Amino acid sequence: MVGAGGVIDVGGMLTLSTLDIANDDFLNGSSNRFFGNSTNGITNYGSIRAGGDALFLGGFGHNFGSIESTNGAVALV
């Protein structure tokens, strides 16, 4: 959860996820293959800005704040 008044501002791609990722994929810069059956999700009440894609991956994605991508897409999957 990103709380009210919370700010995330990144120059590139942003991925927020409640799904699993293999340690090797995460640590070695391999393909980011997320998996699992998580029913937990991501809720945003704050301000999120990404220079690339902004992705929410999980059981649900709720946005009550703002999500901006200057050079990509926004996806709540």
Side-chain angles (χ1 to χ4, degrees), residues 18-77:
T18 62
L19 300 176
D20 291 325
I21 185 171
N23 288 341
D24 287 341
D25 284 350
F26 182 77
L27 294 173
N28 297 323
S30 300
S31 296
N32 290 328
R33 296 170 288 215
F34 293 88
F35 59 92
N37 296 320
S38 175
T39 58
N40 295 315
I42 298 138
T43 301
N44 174 43
Y45 291 99
S47 174
I48 296 175
R49 182 174 148 155
D53 296 332
L55 308 173
F56 287 22
L57 305 172
F60 62 85
H62 293 155
N63 181 43
F64 302 101
S66 66
I67 306 172
E68 177 185 347
S69 170
T70 55
N71 292 309
V74 173
L76 284 67
V77 182

